[in-house]
Amino acid sequence: MLSIQEKTLSYRLNRSLKHSYRNKTSKTILSSTEHMTLTLETEKNKELVRKNVEDIVKNSQNNPYKLLDYIIAAGTKVYKINNADKILAAIGETEGLICELKGLKALYLNLFTTSKISMTFAPAFVMNEGRIDPLYMLHQFYKWYSLKLNLPGFDYKAQQNFKKYLKNVNDKTLCNLSMEDTLALTEAVARDKEATDFALSFAHKTEGAQKVIKKMTEGGADI
């Protein structure tokens, strides 16, 4: 995914005139001869996410149920429904953090979670009832905290493109993305990698975590 991302960025950079693009915390200046990204606020927030999640996980002893309580207290909905994995798979989503959805996907998930008719779905956790794997939850919690601190890469289009191209990195339509969408996809990839790196680092320190590590490294974004 990162290799495809680099090739696409280079291709589009070579074709672009000088433009600047801004997300929530970064500004990127592009031309055929230069590529400069101003990310001071993004880097500051990334470090804040890492430090704060470390403290929260330490204080909760990485208890997934306490992390869920923290999420609920922060105002994010948590829905536990039967067969959540199968329900989510029908719209290309997986258990855990569901970012903003729009259109028919939002309508579909709203009917299962709140029984309301709406074409928008606010970020929430959707999970099966039962035991929660602590390291799986850690990965999802890290992404959620990054979202709460307004790190870029969690908007609807960026996340939909991330899921699409993660399944098929050889999709030729990747080169047809606009520069804004390409940069947003880059941010989405970065956020998932940061969460995975954090969870893997924690897993290496956890007794009996080798099975989880294998699942994480083989499964990509789906831990």
Side-chain angles (χ1 to χ4, degrees):
M1 187 66 188
L2 289 171
S3 175
I4 292 294
Q5 163 199 306
E6 284 185 11
K7 291 178 182 178
T8 305
L9 271 175
S10 297
Y11 169 77
R12 297 199 63 81
L13 281 173
N14 290 333
R15 297 179 57 194
S16 68
L17 298 174
K18 188 168 182 178
H19 293 289
S20 64
Y21 303 91
R22 184 183 296 276
N23 59 39
K24 291 181 178 180
T25 56
S26 303
K27 181 178 180 180
T28 301
I29 300 172
L30 303 169
S31 75
S32 59
T33 58
E34 65 178 2
H35 172 203
M36 179 174 66
T37 302
L38 308 177
T39 61
L40 182 60
E41 188 176 353
T42 297
E43 294 302 317
K44 179 181 176 181
N45 286 350
K46 282 168 56 177
E47 180 59 26
L48 193 60
V49 169
R50 188 194 61 77
K51 183 179 185 304
N52 287 357
V53 172
E54 279 184 351
D55 291 342
I56 294 167
V57 171
K58 181 178 179 180
N59 291 334
S60 68
Q61 297 180 320
N62 196 32
N63 183 316
Y65 303 97
K66 290 183 179 180
L67 293 180
L68 274 182
D69 288 341
Y70 187 98
I71 290 165
I72 294 169
T76 299
K77 297 291 186 182
V78 174
Y79 302 104
K80 291 188 176 182
I81 54 179
N82 292 328
N83 299 315
D85 51 342
K86 296 178 181 178
I87 291 169
L88 291 168
I91 56 172
E93 298 287 340
T94 55
E95 283 186 79
L97 174 64
I98 307 298
C99 294
E100 175 190 21
L101 292 178
K102 297 180 181 179
L104 293 177
K105 288 185 177 183
L107 174 63
Y108 171 88
L109 197 51
N110 277 319
L111 292 175
F112 279 102
T113 54
T114 63
S115 299
K116 71 177 182 179
I117 298 176
S118 176
M119 305 298 278
T120 60
F121 183 86
F125 272 72
V126 181
M127 312 171 73
N128 274 312
E129 290 282 2
R131 183 181 178 277
I132 305 171
D133 184 280
L135 292 174
Y136 168 82
M137 186 63 200
L138 179 57
H139 177 270
Q140 298 295 295
F141 184 85
Y142 196 97
K143 290 183 73 171
W144 169 81
Y145 203 93
S146 298
L147 169 64
K148 293 294 286 185
L149 258 65
N150 285 321
L151 281 174
F154 292 103
D155 61 277
Y156 173 72
K157 187 176 286 189
Q159 285 294 311
Q160 292 303 303
N161 281 333
F162 175 66
K163 292 178 175 65
K164 175 182 178 181
Y165 294 114
L166 187 67
K167 292 179 180 178
N168 184 12
V169 295
N170 294 315
D171 193 325
K172 293 181 180 179
T173 63
L174 186 61
C175 287
N176 295 326
L177 291 177
S178 69
M179 184 57 74
E180 292 93 333
D181 288 345
T182 302
L183 292 171
L185 175 58
T186 301
E187 296 287 4
V189 172
R191 299 295 85 78
D192 189 78
K193 183 178 184 300
E194 289 154 12
T196 300
D197 287 347
F198 184 89
L200 280 171
S201 176
F202 187 89
H204 281 294
K205 302 173 186 177
T206 305
E207 185 178 356
Q210 295 306 310
K211 183 178 180 181
V212 178
I213 294 173
K214 184 174 184 295
K215 188 177 180 182
M216 289 171 66
T217 53
E218 292 180 353
D222 301 333
I223 298 180

